[in-house]
């Protein structure tokens, strides 16, 4: 079985500061990894995904993530955040591109001016 | 290209009642998945439909059931509603060979009183 752990439930940062949201996963088979963002009162939007190939994945809105197989991690980073990045971020895993997705419990990113 | 649309956006039901939630998948997508997101938690997989048949189910009781229609739209039915069923219900569509990942709708907020 697969599982996802998001190590921080809340991350406060100042505007224009860098941010890292941490994600670790557990799986006995190869996995696909995703980061989704959820703005208040909205559904989920895909930020980026790792399916294979380069371990550094670039997504929308200036976010990127690095797949580290040895540490079973897929941390999300942004070099400079904006007020508009305030949202809930979910790390997720699946064992194939169309099977069920297992989500972490989420990290709330709050940006201070 | 249309996205995933869900209806209704909000719903209030009484404990013991039955509810039907609807989802229109993104154009070209033939697989629909349903997720339950309780307040402050990550989405939990309910089930997935492909070619009008259930293609995987999470840890939800049989009173949660679904349908997929020939046009790939879908319904989620919940019988004998309980207070704990109050949540945001998310529909996601994808291709079976979904290299592009899932597209989520904005969800239906169900409140059981």
């Amino acid at each position: 079985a697969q599982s996802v752990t998001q190590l921080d439930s809340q991350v406060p940062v100042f505007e224009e500061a860098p941010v890292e949201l941490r994600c670790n996963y557990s799986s006995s088979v190869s996995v696909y990894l995703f980061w989704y963002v959820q703005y208040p009162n909205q559904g989920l939007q895909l930020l980026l995904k790792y399916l294979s190939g380069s371990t550094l994945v670039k997504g929308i809105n200036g976010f990127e993530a690095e797949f580290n197989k040895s540490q079973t991690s897929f941390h999300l980073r942004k070099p400079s955040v904006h007020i508009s990045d305030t949202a809930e971020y979910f790390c997720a895993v699946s064992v194939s591109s169309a099977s069920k997705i297992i989500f972490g419990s989420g990290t709330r990113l709050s940006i201070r001016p | 290209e249309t996205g995933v649309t869900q209806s209704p956006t909000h719903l209030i039901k009484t404990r013991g009642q039955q509810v039907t939630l609807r989802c229109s998948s993104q154009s070209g997508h033939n697989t629909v998945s349903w997720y339950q997101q309780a307040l402050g938690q990550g989405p939990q997989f309910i089930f997935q439909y492909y070619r009008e048949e259930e293609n995987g189910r999470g840890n939800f009781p049989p009173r949660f059931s679904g349908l997929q229609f020939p046009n790939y739209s879908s319904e989620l039915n919940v019988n004998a509603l309980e207070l704990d069923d109050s949540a945001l219900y998310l529909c996601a569509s994808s291709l079976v060979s979904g290299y592009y990942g899932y597209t989520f709708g904005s969800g239906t907020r169900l409140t059981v009183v």
Side-chain angles (χ1 to χ4, degrees):
Chain A
Q2 296 76 43
S3 66
V4 178
T5 301
Q6 291 185 243
L7 299 164
D8 306 295
S9 59
Q10 296 187 55
V11 174
V13 294
F14 288 103
E15 193 173 16
E16 299 183 7
V19 69
E20 178 180 83
L21 305 183
R22 297 181 294 168
C23 172
N24 286 91
Y25 69 92
S26 173
S27 176
S28 58
V29 299
S30 296
V31 296
Y32 299 138
L33 295 157
F34 307 85
W35 275 98
Y36 283 85
V37 60
Q38 187 174 36
Y39 298 103
N41 300 314
Q42 294 189 28
L44 299 170
Q45 181 181 8
L46 180 66
L47 273 179
L48 48 80
K49 59 184 183 288
Y50 172 79
L51 303 181
S52 65
S54 172
T55 57
L56 183 62
V57 180
K58 294 188 182 299
I60 62 171
N61 302 341
F63 284 94
E64 64 179 33
E66 185 154 20
F67 170 57
N68 188 317
K69 188 174 181 179
S70 63
Q71 297 186 6
T72 61
S73 67
F74 191 55
H75 301 334
L76 180 71
R77 301 185 183 99
K78 186 170 183 178
S80 175
V81 297
H82 303 283
I83 292 287
S84 59
D85 293 323
T86 298
E88 189 92 18
Y89 291 80
F90 293 95
C91 181
V93 62
S94 72
V95 296
S96 76
S97 57
S99 69
K100 67 178 182 180
I101 292 181
I102 297 170
F103 287 88
S105 55
T107 296
R108 184 173 300 275
L109 178 62
S110 58
I111 313 297
R112 301 169 176 173
Chain B
E1 179 181 277
T2 59
V4 176
T5 57
Q6 293 187 242
S7 63
T9 55
H10 295 83
L11 201 54
I12 300 175
K13 288 287 190 178
T14 302
R15 189 172 50 182
Q17 284 188 315
Q18 178 266 344
V19 69
T20 297
L21 310 182
R22 294 178 175 82
C23 171
S24 294
S25 60
Q26 181 169 317
S27 176
H29 286 185
N30 54 21
T31 301
V32 173
S33 302
W34 286 92
Y35 290 81
Q36 180 195 66
Q37 185 180 17
L39 201 61
Q41 298 182 24
Q44 299 292 317
F45 175 73
I46 302 175
F47 43 55
Q48 181 182 85
Y49 277 83
Y50 169 62
R51 289 185 176 177
E52 303 176 52
E53 293 198 2
E54 190 176 287
N55 181 38
R57 188 179 183 93
N59 189 25
F60 281 82
R63 59 189 184 84
F64 285 77
S65 63
L67 285 172
Q68 186 182 30
F69 301 99
N71 65 354
Y72 305 131
S73 65
S74 177
E75 288 182 354
L76 164 65
N77 298 289
V78 187
N79 293 321
L81 284 166
E82 301 176 359
L83 297 179
D84 285 348
D85 295 333
S86 295
L88 180 67
Y89 287 85
L90 296 165
C91 171
S93 72
S94 65
L95 293 171
V96 173
S97 57
Y99 185 82
Y100 301 102
Y102 287 80
T103 301
F104 280 83
S106 297
T108 294
R109 173 74 62 188
L110 172 65
T111 302
V112 182
V113 297

